[in-house]
Amino acid sequence: MALPKSHNYDPKHVFDIMVIGSGIAGMAASLFSVNRKLSTVQAGSVGGTLFASGLFDLMAIHPVEEKRVWADPWEAIAALRKQGSLHPYARISDDAIQSAFEEIASFLSSAGMAYRFEKNRNLPVITSMGTIKHTYCVPESMWHGVEAYNEKAPCLIIDFNGLREFSGRQISSTLREEWPGLRAVRISFPDTEGLNEVHPVHLAQALELSAVRESLAARIQPEIREARYAGFPAVLGIKKTAAICAHLEKLLGIPVFEIPMMPASVPGFRLKEIFDSVLPPKGLLRLIDKRVESVARLDNGNFILNIGGPDQEQFIQARGVILATGRFMGKGLLSDRKGIYEPLFHLPLHQPESRISWHHERFLDPSGHPINSAGVEVDDSFRAVDGTGKTIYDNLFIAGSILAHQDWMRMKCGSGLAIATAYAAVNAFINNFMNKSDRITA
Amino acid sequence: MERTLLGSTFLFTFLFVSLGICLAGIIFRIARWFAVDTGPEAGFIPVKKRVSAVLKGTAAALFSLKFLKIFKVLFFDLLLQSRILKTSLSRWIMHFSIFFGFMMLLLMHALDEIITKRLFPGYFPTLDPFQFLRNLFGVMVIVGVGIAVYRRLRYRGPMLITRYTDRYAVALLAVIIVSGFLEESSKMISESSFNRMMSGYFSACEPHDETALKAFWSREYGSVFPTMKFRITPELLARGKKLSEESCASCHADTRTAFISYPAAGFMKPFALSLSKSRAEVWLYYIHVLACFIGLAYLPFSKFFHLITDPLTLLVNGISDKKKVNPLTAMPRRAMELDACTECGTCSRYCSVAPVFRMLQNTEILPMHKLRTVKRLASGKDMDSAELQIISEGAFICTTCFKCTEVCPAGINLQDQWLASRELLSETGHPLPHVWLKKFNASEWSDRMRYFEASWKEADAGKERYYNLTDDSNVFAPCIQCQTCTNVCPVVAARTDPKDAVDITPHKIMNLLRLGLHDLALGSRMVWDCTTCYQCQENCPQGIKVTDIIYELKNRAYEHFKKIDRTAEINEDPC
Amino acid sequence: MKFAFFKGCKIPYYLEQYGSSTRAVLKTFGVRLLELDFCCCGYPNRDLHFESFVLSAARNMALAEKKNLDILTPCKCCYGSLKHAFHFLHENERLRRDINAELAKEGLVWKGKSTVKHLLTVLCDDIGLPAIYASIVKPLGGLSVAAHYGCHALRPSNIVHFDDPLAPSIFEDLISATGAKPVGWPRRLDCCGNPLWGKNNAISLALMRTKIADAYESGADCICTACTYCQLQFDAIQSSVKTDNAASPELPSILYTQLLGLSMGLPERLLGIKRNIIPVEKLKIV
Ligand SMILES: Cc1cc2nc3c(=O)[nH]c(=O)nc-3n(C[C@H](O)[C@H](O)[C@H](O)COP(=O)(O)OP(=O)(O)OC[C@H]3O[C@@H](n4cnc5c(N)ncnc54)[C@H](O)[C@@H]3O)c2cc1C
């Protein structure tokens, strides 16, 4: 039986690179690979992308214990390096990180989801709970929110009946002191009157029809009054957000922006949609919903990956592998009574001595838990190393949250880490392996 | 002829009474086609209108230029019975033998005075080819009947059921044909018949002529003269032959061309004397003729009625478009079709959902049974809700694939029958499961399940299932309640009347399963309004088979709910 | 090339033109189609009773196997159903044994030797796009077409193996071959609503109307389907519930085999163009 479509997939083909994982790190790695004309194959289920808020954090908090928020992410990274941290950022130059972001942003923008960032500054973004999150790179659709917040301009937050994940009232009451011009209004989304519950993706889909936008705008119009901005939950379409924002702005006469929400979040769907639909035409072979079950290595060093499927197993041969399987949620790391392990390559891990020391005594300890820094240790080429620092395979590269010595959730560096390490890993594959290895030319 | 001498008034009376019954029966049955109500109430039109519509339709058909179509139906479907040939050669041989043999016997033999004699002035039943053909046609009927009996024994089961009407029909046919043969044989060996003929048509010139003729007949034509003894010499035979040629041959062919009766007569020879004495040939004649008359009278009430209904049905449906039903003539047409069904079982044999029948064992799935049920529904039989439930299951499992309509040898528009009866069932409170299930909401169903636990629990116990997704926590435990399934669900997204909105969204179903409360999910709108588009399953970040789980919940719900009384009031224990 | 042609239950009565146009198009590519004594694919009954769904599907696959043929079906629901049954029979040995015991009564056995293919796959992979391009004599330039994928062929991808479930392209590739322009439309992978027709008409229509409005707004002149049920939904059912509401525009729906057949210059009669209830004449391709 053929692999899930690929009109011209040849099972005997030897791929340059296999990306294992389709979270942000995996997707970024695939993008960088196909951009560099590597023949690339990728496996993994939907992953954490769906849950992403759409914001790309670079680095905002360090050290975690002090919860110190940095206005300039680069300064935070510099501080990391100065302290001799083993954080993966310490192995990548600022220029490389910057280029990685630019490459991703330009890709997303050409796919219809533009991003904005300022060179040396984290941006303040209102969250659905009314807190301010500092992040590096925001979708265009959220940009006016940053402006509105900076100006503290009169602003209307629109909330929808039945949308559980979002509360305009909570936002305005939390921010009241700081931003008195913020006002919330709750209305019914067109055609949802009487429903107890509405779901963000459905609203986003509905807004893709102009008639729905018109009827929504008509409901909002009388509430605008003095407001100079209109903030919406992040539901302004999935596939044509830019056009929808522009249309709403025209209808309402003021700039509109989106406020990121808790999962399942629409911007996450947008990212997934773009990765899913734009990468394959660029030459990526996506093995949707397939897991790599096991790995073997040939004498020539190539990896043979056993791709599981319900009906039949398949084998893929690749010259190099980028492992971006994430931590526990993505099942890149598993745990048993003895500790944590990495199930595919059985890589040695940096991890707490014993299970007891996984967590600090206080569950909400601000400094996080040692387990949150566990993972695979790498060399400067992002190749896995053993306890003595020796490279394990010259063609196995690691990217994303599976890496050790980082606590992305608390440091607010998740996507940045995923993107930057994927970039570094792909470039290292080319520079330190492919261009050097005589195996390729042989 | 000697026959008419024997109680001719009795036979004529019998014939006319039979004819009377037959005609009255036919009129009665045809009249009923206009009187019974078939299909949904929405399609009802007054009887008067039905009659006028049918008359108009018939006139229109006759005056339209559909001659070619009519001829095609008459020639291929009726005469050659091509519709049977298309589905089964053995059935065609069977049916064609009976049909052709019987029809020819009817026309050539039974109605010889009216037809054969006019066509062939020199006609005598004892002349060839008539004598030979009579035997041939008789054999055809017997062979056909034999195959029919064999088929009915061999393929006994829900696909081919044998009812009394079938037995009567077969028995009557057998009696008519066998008695006919026996009568012919018994006459061949009957001395008294020979003597009577001789006294009527033969005058001897020489003293030994009688003996010579008898000797010749007994040697060559199987006649038996038990009371006579003669020595057969070649001279005697030669004389007998000459006499026979002079006096008999103009009316009597060689009896051996009666290739069944002649050997049969051979077997009867030992009993010739007693048969002749008891005038067996006359009694057999009576049996033969009376059986025919009884058949005539019985015709409108028996399987033989299809001799009238099937040609009519074939004609009507042959010239009209089965896909475009005329609502005015629909009801009488359907009623006629109900009479046209001979329960030959072809439809069931080709039924697209026959495999479903094999699993569920509900005969109401099979078209042949279904049509009988439609007939019962049309006759206004009272059926209880449980029975209707079973009928409705069968009616809605049908995929209206049109196959049975295409193969029905009688040309019945079964498709229309199914569509109409489904509508009728829906009207009377027995729609398809997805609809009747919504009579209660999820928690009402779960109450009912508890209340009527006894009705389904027993059957449930010890059932070995091939899949058990809904009870296997490994299947749904990975759910992190991220709501992706709900967010990608088009049914949850569909904007309809809020009172019809989905009650328990997919991620909540997963949660109910995790809590071990899947009884609460069984009757939920989400489960029964699922479009099975597999968005949830494809998009679940945890790889949970959400749609397959919903499918399984539907299966379980249906299995349990159909055993639960939907009409009963339940009084939940207040504690 | 020869296939067992699995028409499914709805074509003979409700959608003859799909059968005839499929035959006409495939014939020109030298594909021979053999109709066996098939029964229902099992799909409609999967809601109610798993085993009878599997038996139905298995019986069909066993019939094709007996003739050493792969199955070609133009219907995506039949396709999905047969593929699912294949999967269940393949992975569940007890099920396979019991189903085979039942099939044995008819002298049949399911071994999983026959492959089930959808019409589009045969066109795109077995016949191949180059051959299709070469067969076009009347390119349908200027026509914008919304390819409607149909759920049951697309998902779940790990069982149906049809195309990339999230970013399929096979249908657009095939439409481009006819010279028509496939439009991008957000709802292209969504359900047409037909599975709920007769069960919950309100939802069924809501799903259909959302799709039509989306295709319309995305600039499509018509919807193109390659599935019996989807076509019934967009043609017969759409026309039966026609309203004068400007907000729900009417959009004709054409079968892919009709679209391709027209561009190949096949006679309209074979393609059954006139049988479509919402006339496609106004597309000016006929
Ligand atoms: C709730 C939530 C909120 C978030 N919010 C933000 C935010 O505000 N800002 C921000 O920048 N980022 C955010 N993120 C995104 C986050 O940055 C990334 O998810 C994180 O960096 C991890 O990325 P990853 O690709 O390394 O791993 P994951 O996203 O965990 O992906 C791992 C992938 O590997 C696959 N995999 C595992 N094992 C195998 C195998 N054997 N074979 C094949 N595939 C395998 C999995 O299927 C999965 O696709 C958020 C994520 C979550 C979950």
Side-chain angles (χ1 to χ4, degrees), chain B residues 67-238:
Chain B
F67 291 123
L68 196 68
K69 263 188 174 168
I70 295 178
F71 171 77
K72 257 178 153 172
V73 173
L74 289 177
F75 186 74
F76 290 103
D77 295 353
L78 279 182
L79 209 60
L80 297 185
Q81 312 196 323
S82 57
R83 291 180 71 91
I84 306 179
L85 185 60
K86 260 191 272 176
T87 59
S88 158
L89 181 65
S90 70
R91 271 204 62 226
W92 181 81
I93 293 176
M94 173 206 90
H95 195 266
F96 190 76
S97 303
I98 299 180
F99 165 75
F100 189 74
F102 194 83
M103 282 325 251
M104 291 315 279
L105 284 174
L106 177 74
L107 300 174
M108 181 201 86
H109 170 59
L111 303 177
D112 53 3
E113 300 283 332
I114 307 168
I115 298 176
T116 326
K117 238 187 194 146
R118 304 225 171 121
L119 292 176
F120 306 96
Y123 169 79
F124 260 104
T126 42
L127 272 181
D128 271 332
F130 311 106
Q131 177 174 270
F132 163 77
L133 286 175
R134 205 166 51 241
N135 274 259
L136 178 70
F137 298 144
V139 164
M140 284 179 81
V141 177
I142 291 287
V143 166
V145 168
I147 301 178
V149 171
Y150 170 77
R151 277 173 50 87
R152 283 180 183 274
L153 294 175
R154 169 85 173 66
Y155 301 109
R156 215 164 14 180
M159 293 289 180
L160 190 62
I161 32 178
T162 304
R163 299 183 198 279
Y164 284 109
T165 44
D166 300 300
R167 296 207 180 118
Y168 292 153
V170 164
L172 201 62
L173 268 183
V175 167
I176 291 172
I177 303 298
V178 171
S179 64
F181 277 129
L182 290 181
E183 191 243 4
E184 195 173 35
S185 320
S186 61
K187 218 151 43 179
M188 280 181 198
I189 57 166
S190 164
E191 185 173 14
S192 49
S193 291
F194 189 90
N195 288 340
R196 210 173 35 252
M197 293 300 284
M198 206 162 62
S199 62
Y201 300 97
F202 179 73
S203 46
C205 305
E206 291 174 37
H208 288 303
D209 278 1
E210 241 189 75
T211 321
L213 190 63
K214 282 186 177 172
F216 176 76
W217 273 71
S218 72
R219 166 60 71 88
E220 295 294 322
Y221 295 163
S223 299
V224 182
F225 304 98
T227 53
M228 241 176 97
K229 284 213 158 60
F230 35 64
R231 240 185 68 245
I232 296 174
T233 59
E235 297 78 47
L236 199 64
L237 279 180

Side-chain angles (χ1 to χ4, degrees), chain B residues 32 36 118 134 160 195 224 379 392 500 508 556 559 568:
Chain B
R32 268 184 66 80
V36 292
R118 304 225 171 121
R134 205 166 51 241
L160 190 62
N195 288 340
V224 182
S379 69
S392 157
D500 297 332
K508 289 185 187 159
R556 296 286 161 86
E559 184 186 327

Side-chain angles (χ1 to χ4, degrees), chain B residues 323 352 356 358 399-403 415 434 465-467 529 532-534 538 548 551 554-555, chain C residues 9-10 12-14 16 38-40 46-47 50 84 91-92 94 98 102 106 152 155 157 196 200:
Chain B
K323 296 185 179 181
S352 268
V356 181
R358 280 159 69 178
T399 59
T400 60
C401 73
F402 203 50
K403 233 196 220 170
Q415 184 83 351
H434 299 73
R465 302 189 189 271
Y466 296 102
Y467 287 92
D529 282 343
T532 69
C533 74
Y534 276 99
E538 187 73 53
D548 288 341
Y551 260 126
K554 272 191 268 198
N555 278 208
Chain C
C9 288
K10 297 291 173 193
Y13 184 71
Y14 297 95
E16 258 182 288
F38 287 131
C39 59
C40 166
R46 196 175 162 201
D47 272 357
F50 176 78
H84 263 104
E91 79 167 6
N92 191 324
R94 192 162 61 87
D98 293 356
E102 192 60 42
E106 283 184 83
H152 291 144
R155 295 179 290 262
S157 55
L196 291 181
N200 187 332

Side-chain angles (χ1 to χ4, degrees), chain A residues 21-25 44-45 53 55 57 133 291-292 325-326 330 400-401 414-415:
Chain A
S22 47
I24 305 258
S45 70
S53 57
L55 303 173
D57 300 347
K133 180 181 159 79
R291 291 187 72 79
V292 176
T325 48
S401 62
S415 301

Side-chain angles (χ1 to χ4, degrees), chain A residues 18-27 43-49 51-58 133 135 263 290-294 323-333 342-344 399-403 408-409 412-419, chain B residues 541:
Chain A
M18 162 116 206
V19 177
I20 311 179
S22 47
I24 305 258
M27 285 302 187
S45 70
V46 188
T49 331
F51 309 128
S53 57
L55 303 173
F56 290 162
D57 300 347
L58 176 52
K133 180 181 159 79
T135 191
K290 299 265 179 179
R291 291 187 72 79
V292 176
E293 301 290 352
S294 61
L323 185 71
T325 48
R327 276 186 179 159
F328 301 102
M329 215 191 81
K331 299 201 180 75
L333 298 180
E342 187 280 311
L344 274 183
S401 62
I402 193 176
L403 288 163
W408 63 268
M409 240 182 266
K412 303 291 172 208
C413 65
S415 301
L417 178 90
I419 293 166

